[in-house]
Amino acid sequence: MGSITINKDLLRERQSCTFNVLELTHLWDGGPEKTKERKELEKFFLDDPELQEKIPSEYLSHKEKYQEALRRSCLLFKKIKEWSDTTGCGSQMDTFQNILGGMLGSAILPDGVPFALNYVMFLPTVMGQGTMQQQAYWVSRAWNCEIMCTYAQTELGHGTFIRGLETTATYDPSTEEFVFNSPTLTSYKWWPGGLGHTCNYAVVVAQLYTKGQCHGIHPFIVQLRDEETHMPLPGIKIGEIGSKLGMNTINNGYLGFENVRIPRENMLMKNSKVLPDGTYVNSPSDKLTYGTMIFVRVALVRGIAAAYLSKALTIATRYSALRKQGEIKPGAGETQILEYRTQQHKLFPPMAMCFAMRCSADWLWDIYNSVTAELDRGDLERLPELHAMACCLKAVCTKDSAKAIEVCRLATGGHGYMNSSNFPSTYGMVTAAETYEGENTVLLLQTARFLVKAWQQARSGGNLTETVEYLKTMPLQPLSLWVNSLQHLGIAFKRVAAGNIETCATSIERRILVGVAPEDAWNEVSIQLAKAAETHCRAFMMQIFINFATSAQVSPELKKVLIELCELYGTYFLLDNLGDFFMYAGLRSSDVPSIQEWMETLLHKIRPNAVGIVDGFDISDAVLRSALGAYDGNVYERLFAEANKSPLNAEPVDESFHKYLKPFLKSNL
Ligand SMILES: CCCCCCCCCCCCCCCCCCCCCC(=O)SCCNC(=O)CCNC(=O)[C@H](O)C(C)(C)COP(=O)(O)OP(=O)(O)OC[C@H]1O[C@@H](n2cnc3c(N)ncnc32)[C@H](O)[C@@H]1OP(=O)(O)O
Ligand SMILES: Cc1cc2nc3c(=O)[nH]c(=O)nc-3n(C[C@H](O)[C@H](O)[C@H](O)COP(=O)(O)OP(=O)(O)OC[C@H]3O[C@@H](n4cnc5c(N)ncnc54)[C@H](O)[C@@H]3O)c2cc1C
């Protein structure tokens, strides 16, 4: 291809953008230095021909896909080492973030990195739950890829309810070993990434038995395969779970145990312990075992939800600026589809969501780091709030992102259905995150549990933490008349959340008063509870976005765009949930037309900057991997070039014609 002619419509869009795109890129990356580093990193990896795709992976068999992914993973991680040796350790963390969290990794291994779990879950588990000695031994081995590891928690029978896991680890004091068993078919580990044929070690989460007593689930490091031959060790039954909707190169696997013995020292013992004689020593909190899940939920908001959405938006927005279809005014010439208000309504609210996700992710990352430091000092006070916010942000952001990616695909018509648009693999990657690391409904219900408690505390005059402080005053303040302003939106979203939480709390109380058991009352109200958690999260994201947009140290031109996007976030979700705002935020039906108009005006204002905004995400063509979204806009040439990569086009007449079709056509049915 190699064409450098930029599509004329895209060129015009770029000329009419009202703000400096590079300024947005710097803001998005966290400063000019970060942008520079990212670009150097991308160049280092993406210019390597060995890492580039030769045949589109869709045309490979399942086995070939895995083998090719493994080849590239090995090269990739060699290069990471090379990169960090030349640039120092500090940036190694950033490198991993870039490779595993969304962007760079998805350019090289679009259907998942089979080594991901080694870094995303195994290492964080050892670092968070291992003693100093365990960390000293295991971290360097895994970090340097002397061994390859995964995190095996989910079983065929249980993913959500982890207290119900069935794998057993029974302590044998005579040999100072744990003996692992899978007593049932449903106790087989099922799903861990890289487990199939890649990893030789895993953190295995199992029910710990010692002195005849079960102490619940605990993490252990178990060797699965011989380090030389890679053969499964005696008693280990292991394999891959087969083809999936997406993420087909991440090598998810299954695992069963038959009397597999590991040394006592392989139990991760930072929190709870088993002494050589089998005495069990309790952890300060049994929820510390769940720490790695919090880490991944936190990382996903930015690394998956926001990152993949920014890609889908770049593809759909550029395409909508150059695609022409129909006329708005007869005879006026064909219209860029981006001119259609309905098209703007598909694309611009997700742009706003992308910003809201990024601000929230930064907040979540900061609180994660401070709470983790507090946990290390034995202070568990802020853990419930971190857990509650990680749960709802993971759930709401992955849900919004997956839904919006599908909207972006639909917004590109038929061409979006092609694998070469890169929508299918992008969607496959993000919808997986709606399930893994805590299924979204389940996580919303975890947040709801925290909110109902906070509500009760607010009623009894107790102290409330930062994210629920609004519950103290909200319902008591009189409702004011509706005003179309950002500040009013912020308050209205909190009122909706407070109203939903109050409704749930009183519904539960009412049921309990008439004799329903508290647990049944909870289940009966759980549709509303999940909704309450979502509205709390939305109110939080709205406020974080308002704070960000109003205080960002940027040029007035860019600030104007940020404020418009922020207002769009609020008006979009308000209009999508009018009933809530009628019920709880003092909205009257006579207020709605002006809000609808406000939202439509925002779409109109954002329109000239739409391409500028997605250009500001600065996603290179190599990362986008889309025939529809490339910077130069040569969509039709690219679609043709991609079609010609189909193996069916290698010959003018396929051999199947002679084998099947010709005899069939000649058979005179
Ligand atoms: C170092 C280098 C780093 C480089 C970094 C690079 C970074 C870049 C990375 C970017 C990303 C790229 C990734 C791509 C790769 C894809 C990988 C795919 C990975 C997918 C992996 C998985 O998929 S891996 C399995 C996950 N599987 C779950 O996720 C199970 C959900 N299931 C539960 O999580 C529990 O089962 C559930 C429901 C809570 C109930 O647990 P339960 O029954 O024990 O608890 P209850 O409900 O009874 O609650 C009792 C009380 O515990 C409280 N509580 C509960 N949890 C708590 C907690 N975590 N912390 C504190 N408190 C907690 C609760 O709030 C209650 O508190 P209270 O009593 O005060 O109200
Ligand atoms: C791509 C992918 C990668 C994965 N990688 C790993 C990995 O590396 N390691 C690992 O250990 N696991 C992994 N998993 C497993 C993943 O963590 C689980 O699938 C997830 O936690 C959901 O559990 P489940 O599949 O048992 O669903 P279930 O819990 O059976 O959920 C099914 C339905 O039941 C509902 N439900 C369940 N419990 C409740 C409840 N208490 N209240 C209300 N509704 C409920 C859910 O909302 C859902 O609608 C992966 C999964 C996927 C899809």
Side-chain angles (χ1 to χ4, degrees):
M1 176 138 320
S3 169
I4 44 157
T5 336
I6 307 259
N7 172 283
K8 279 205 208 73
D9 291 301
L10 272 183
L11 206 58
R12 218 185 41 245
E13 295 291 333
R14 289 179 176 131
Q15 283 157 355
S16 65
C17 178
T18 62
F19 66 92
N20 179 348
V21 169
L22 188 61
E23 190 187 5
L24 174 56
T25 302
H26 291 160
L27 181 72
W28 196 247
D29 281 328
E33 269 309 304
K34 292 267 183 204
T35 302
K36 190 167 155 270
E37 272 173 35
R38 176 179 56 79
K39 283 186 170 298
E40 282 169 4
L41 195 67
E42 283 179 10
K43 194 170 161 37
F44 182 73
F45 286 97
L46 299 177
D47 283 0
D48 184 338
E50 281 302 302
L51 285 176
Q52 283 161 13
E53 189 171 75
K54 288 174 185 78
I55 303 170
S57 64
E58 299 80 41
Y59 299 126
L60 301 178
S61 71
H62 186 63
K63 191 170 175 176
E64 287 166 339
K65 275 184 201 163
Y66 170 66
Q67 290 172 343
E68 175 60 13
L70 202 63
R71 182 188 73 78
R72 269 190 252 161
S73 298
C74 293
L75 273 173
L76 177 67
F77 282 80
K78 257 199 185 127
K79 274 185 89 82
I80 294 179
K81 177 96 175 69
E82 223 180 282
W83 173 262
S84 52
D85 285 349
T86 49
T87 56
C89 198
S91 53
Q92 194 166 5
M93 197 64 179
D94 280 351
T95 313
F96 278 110
Q97 295 268 10
N98 263 306
I99 303 279
L100 299 168
M103 290 303 182
L104 196 43
S106 72
I108 299 162
L109 290 145
D111 282 330
V113 184
F115 297 173
L117 272 283
N118 188 52
Y119 293 93
V120 177
M121 292 203 79
F122 179 85
L123 279 165
T125 307
V126 176
M127 281 147 77
Q129 299 185 50
T131 60
M132 290 312 261
Q133 294 95 306
Q134 288 175 320
Q135 290 184 37
Y137 181 71
W138 293 105
V139 168
S140 65
R141 294 200 82 202
W143 187 265
N144 297 326
C145 297
E146 282 167 32
I147 54 177
M148 191 50 67
C149 315
T150 183
Y151 181 87
Q153 178 176 289
T154 306
E155 296 172 356
L156 206 43
H158 291 96
T160 293
F161 182 60
I162 49 185
R163 280 185 287 138
L165 296 177
E166 297 174 87
T167 303
T168 56
T170 309
Y171 187 63
D172 176 357
S174 68
T175 56
E176 296 189 13
E177 288 173 320
F178 288 101
V179 188
F180 275 69
N181 274 296
S182 306
T184 57
L185 174 63
T186 49
S187 71
Y188 266 59
K189 295 293 172 191
W190 192 271
W191 270 119
L195 176 63
H197 293 84
T198 314
C199 295
N200 48 13
Y201 285 81
V203 162
V204 175
V205 180
Q207 300 287 354
L208 162 60
Y209 284 84
T210 178
K211 296 191 170 177
Q213 220 190 328
C214 179
H215 293 276
I217 55 169
H218 288 75
F220 304 83
I221 297 179
V222 182
Q223 183 172 0
L224 309 174
R225 291 175 179 271
D226 183 272
E227 284 188 31
E228 284 305 315
T229 63
H230 210 53
M231 278 300 285
L233 293 186
I236 299 276
K237 294 155 195 177
I238 197 165
E240 196 235 11
I241 64 172
S243 165
K244 304 163 298 247
L245 184 151
M247 298 188 80
N248 273 301
T249 54
I250 205 156
N251 193 221
N252 300 94
Y254 66 79
L255 169 65
F257 300 98
E258 200 182 310
N259 291 320
V260 173
R261 288 179 168 263
I262 63 162
R264 184 184 69 91
E265 294 76 28
N266 282 21
M267 172 179 167
L268 291 174
M269 294 211 214
K270 180 173 164 187
N271 301 315
S272 31
K273 299 176 183 47
V274 171
L275 304 181
D277 71 349
T279 306
Y280 179 76
V281 182
N282 244 324
S283 156
S285 158
D286 58 351
K287 296 308 173 229
L288 292 175
T289 316
Y290 296 1
T292 313
M293 289 183 278
I294 298 193
F295 166 74
V296 183
R297 287 167 197 154
V298 168
L300 281 175
V301 176
R302 180 177 172 145
I304 298 290
Y308 282 80
L309 179 54
S310 66
K311 283 212 280 188
L313 281 165
T314 305
I315 298 167
T317 307
R318 286 183 182 159
Y319 178 78
S320 300
L322 60 88
R323 176 75 165 178
K324 292 187 177 156
Q325 195 87 231
E327 298 175 325
I328 291 180
K329 286 197 196 102
E334 282 215 86
T335 307
Q336 288 166 285
I337 57 175
L338 197 54
E339 290 301 345
Y340 292 113
R341 197 47 57 85
T342 46
Q343 186 78 356
Q344 297 164 7
H345 189 240
K346 288 174 197 170
L347 301 182
F348 303 168
M351 272 179 207
M353 290 174 210
C354 215
F355 281 82
M357 285 178 201
R358 277 293 284 268
C359 313
S360 308
D362 288 348
W363 175 90
L364 189 58
W365 186 241
D366 286 347
I367 141 159
Y368 172 79
N369 282 319
S370 47
V371 173
T372 310
E374 288 161 20
L375 293 179
D376 280 340
R377 296 195 296 270
D379 175 2
L380 302 174
E381 200 177 324
R382 291 206 297 160
L383 180 61
E385 181 168 53
L386 168 65
H387 168 55
M389 290 313 294
C391 282
C392 69
L393 282 167
K394 182 274 189 187
V396 169
C397 294
T398 56
K399 176 183 123 172
D400 283 355
S401 179
K403 194 170 161 197
I405 289 166
E406 178 62 353
V407 170
C408 287
R409 177 184 76 77
L410 294 168
T412 59
H415 297 326
Y417 195 67
M418 297 295 297
N419 277 324
S420 62
S421 72
N422 200 17
F423 283 122
S425 125
T426 304
Y427 179 75
M429 191 59 99
V430 176
T431 190
E434 296 190 87
T435 302
Y436 69 61
E437 220 50 64
E439 194 280 328
N440 280 353
T441 308
V442 169
L443 294 192
L444 288 174
L445 291 173
Q446 284 289 309
T447 306
R449 194 173 159 128
F450 172 78
L451 295 175
V452 170
K453 276 194 181 163
W455 175 261
Q456 287 155 352
Q457 216 155 337
R459 292 294 70 84
S460 60
N463 282 339
L464 291 178
T465 47
E466 181 191 350
T467 57
V468 279
E469 197 150 22
Y470 68 95
L471 291 180
K472 235 178 182 166
T473 52
M474 222 14 112
L476 306 174
Q477 285 168 354
L479 291 167
S480 53
L481 283 182
W482 187 267
V483 189
N484 281 352
S485 73
L486 253 190
Q487 201 208 1
H488 198 94
L489 276 176
I491 295 170
F493 272 71
K494 286 188 198 122
R495 280 198 175 276
V496 164
N500 271 296
I501 297 165
E502 181 177 37
T503 302
C504 292
T506 49
S507 296
I508 292 171
E509 278 165 17
R510 216 177 35 247
R511 284 172 163 80
I512 293 174
L513 271 179
V514 297
V516 179
E519 298 79 4
D520 290 330
W522 179 268
N523 188 33
E524 285 171 19
V525 176
S526 57
I527 301 167
Q528 293 180 76
L529 284 163
K531 185 178 168 199
E534 184 167 342
T535 57
H536 166 73
C537 189
R538 196 72 72 199
F540 172 82
M541 292 178 76
M542 181 79 251
Q543 190 58 54
I544 281 277
F545 196 2
I546 294 175
N547 298 348
F548 168 77
T550 52
S551 67
Q553 301 291 312
V554 291
S555 65
E557 295 80 18
L558 181 54
K559 185 154 213 145
K560 188 167 166 290
V561 176
L562 295 177
I563 303 253
E564 285 163 4
L565 286 167
C566 188
E567 290 178 359
L568 183 60
Y569 186 83
T571 50
Y572 175 82
F573 280 111
L574 185 158
L575 290 165
D576 213 34
N577 297 280
L578 277 178
D580 270 344
F581 288 81
F582 287 142
M583 278 180 74
Y584 303 119
L587 190 74
R588 291 159 311 168
S589 47
S590 57
D591 298 319
V592 176
S594 78
I595 301 172
Q596 178 73 25
E597 207 176 300
W598 184 15
M599 196 266 291
E600 286 160 4
T601 310
L602 287 165
L603 297 177
H604 174 73
K605 284 184 180 165
I606 291 165
R607 161 68 190 89
N609 287 324
V611 169
I613 292 169
V614 296
D615 281 353
F617 298 152
D618 196 27
I619 306 173
S620 68
D621 288 353
V623 173
L624 272 186
R625 299 170 45 82
S626 170
L628 306 189
Y631 187 83
D632 64 16
N634 290 320
V635 165
Y636 303 113
E637 293 84 342
R638 280 197 168 74
L639 278 170
F640 247 106
E642 290 300 321
N644 283 324
K645 290 181 186 166
S646 165
L648 274 178
N649 288 333
E651 305 288 337
V653 176
D654 186 62
E655 59 188 330
S656 59
F657 172 77
H658 300 290
K659 258 178 158 164
Y660 309 116
L661 189 56
K662 189 172 176 188
F664 175 73
L665 293 175
K666 300 285 173 203
S667 67
N668 295 325
L669 280 184

